Amino acid sequence: MAQRIPVVAGNWKMNFDHLEATYFIQKLAWLLRDAHFDFKGTEIVIMPSFTSIRSVQVLIEAEKMRIGVGAQTVSETSDGAFTGDISAQMLARLGCKYVIIGHSERRKYHPEDDANIVDKVRAVLAADMNPILCVGESFEERKQGIELEYAVNQVHDVMRDLSDKEAQRMLIAYEPIWAVGTGMVATPQSAQDAANAIRDYFKKTYGTDVSEKVRILYGGSVNASNAQALMEGPDVDGFLVGGAALDAEEFSRIARLTSRSARRRLAHR
Ligand code: PEP
């Protein structure tokens, strides 16, 4: 069985200017180092606003911090007359490793829909970065009891033309919409069930080798009080964190709890 390195990714949404962002990163790096954080065993990634990415990247490189940088969205096109858009190539040049695609807030407030999500995923893969594809049901689908099918179909809609090599570079964030930014969190069992259903989709479509490599995150009101229980599901490989990623101490606690769970998992293999 492949050993998957968990990821704890902080989605800052539209918070922090570049000065606040660099202050936060310094504090986070200090907190993690002070706690002897195992950076090899768990990946830490921050997704700042576009305006802060460069400052954060320069700081991380200068101080040799082991924190990754990502972006919250990307254009599906590579260049040209697309006022206000940012291309995957531009993000890759800034050292971004991950890009969130299909976040429920972008599906709701911007035209990020199934058609352009596929193109965005392709653009990110072509620029040698890893997409973090967000999927997950609303209350409606949950009430109907079709949440697993719904999330798997969302994954399938995006994945259908991707090769095995591309598929294994995907990260999927299962983020039930009703849990994002609401304080309501999925139970560890339902996070595990969704992660398992998504992994099963990868297994059926691409085989065991790919399905054992793909990292599946949970997102939706994760904090330091629920992270450990959520990590108990063997298919949950870390978190996409929103609100709690705006507090360096809380975020570092989530990172440490994830790392501890990952070590325990490894010991029981
Ligand atoms: C998110 O923005 O992806 C998210 C999960 O937010 P929160 O943790 O605040 O629910």
Side-chain angles (χ1 to χ4, degrees):
M1 197 203 279
Q3 184 204 333
R4 297 185 296 274
I5 310 274
V7 180
V8 180
N11 171 19
W12 280 353
K13 315 194 187 200
M14 197 172 68
N15 291 290
F16 296 157
D17 62 30
H18 69 292
L19 298 176
E20 293 162 329
T22 48
Y23 173 75
F24 182 106
I25 295 289
Q26 279 168 316
K27 185 169 175 187
L28 176 64
W30 183 85
L31 286 166
L32 291 173
R33 271 189 213 137
D34 194 51
H36 305 287
F37 186 75
D38 172 19
F39 288 95
K40 269 197 198 139
T42 299
E43 258 189 86
I44 304 299
V45 183
I46 293 290
M47 273 96 172
S49 300
F50 286 138
T51 52
S52 301
I53 293 178
R54 176 68 176 152
S55 311
V56 166
Q57 178 221 6
V58 167
L59 172 67
I60 285 174
E61 273 182 25
E63 302 283 325
K64 298 190 172 41
M65 293 169 177
R66 301 184 67 174
I67 295 174
V69 190
Q72 300 172 17
T73 186
V74 67
S75 171
E76 59 273 30
T77 47
S78 59
D79 55 78
F82 299 99
T83 303
D85 282 355
I86 306 284
S87 74
Q89 205 52 45
M90 291 170 182
L91 295 174
R93 288 292 297 274
L94 282 175
C96 287
K97 225 176 138 194
Y98 297 99
V99 182
I100 299 173
I101 297 178
H103 190 281
S104 53
E105 286 153 14
R106 293 208 62 89
R107 291 183 196 249
K108 182 173 175 191
Y109 301 119
H110 299 272
E112 204 156 301
D113 55 27
D114 289 342
N116 65 27
I117 284 172
V118 175
D119 293 336
K120 286 172 195 277
V121 164
R122 287 192 177 290
V124 169
L125 290 168
D128 264 339
M129 298 181 292
N130 301 82
I132 301 183
L133 173 67
C134 297
V135 298
E137 82 287 354
S138 68
F139 257 135
E140 266 322 296
E141 289 92 31
R142 181 150 280 250
K143 265 197 296 190
Q144 292 171 42
I146 55 164
E147 65 274 12
L148 300 184
E149 199 184 322
Y150 187 83
V152 169
N153 280 341
Q154 280 183 309
V155 174
H156 172 70
D157 282 345
V158 173
M159 298 298 302
R160 55 177 135 211
D161 295 325
L162 296 189
S163 68
D164 290 20
K165 269 199 180 138
E166 290 170 322
Q168 69 191 33
R169 288 170 51 208
M170 296 292 297
L171 281 79
I172 308 294
Y174 169 65
E175 297 212 313
I177 298 170
W178 51 268
V180 175
T182 60
M184 288 187 283
V185 64
T187 62
Q189 188 60 54
S190 75
Q192 163 58 22
D193 289 347
N196 181 260
I198 293 166
R199 197 173 305 289
D200 203 45
Y201 163 80
F202 275 89
K203 187 173 174 182
K204 285 187 187 127
T205 314
Y206 298 99
T208 309
D209 196 37
V210 172
S211 75
E212 285 299 325
K213 284 184 183 140
V214 168
R215 288 177 291 177
I216 302 172
L217 316 182
Y218 168 77
S221 299
V222 172
N223 58 38
S225 315
N226 55 35
Q228 188 170 334
L230 286 162
M231 269 299 283
E232 265 156 33
D235 289 299
V236 177
D237 302 315
F239 303 109
L240 183 54
V241 186
L246 299 175
D247 177 331
E249 279 168 26
E250 181 80 358
F251 189 69
S252 79
R253 275 197 288 272
I254 296 170
R256 278 161 24 220
L257 289 164
T258 306
S259 165
R260 201 184 302 162
S261 301
R263 278 202 304 273
R264 221 177 283 140
R265 224 178 250 188
L266 209 56
H268 288 105
R269 272 154 56 99

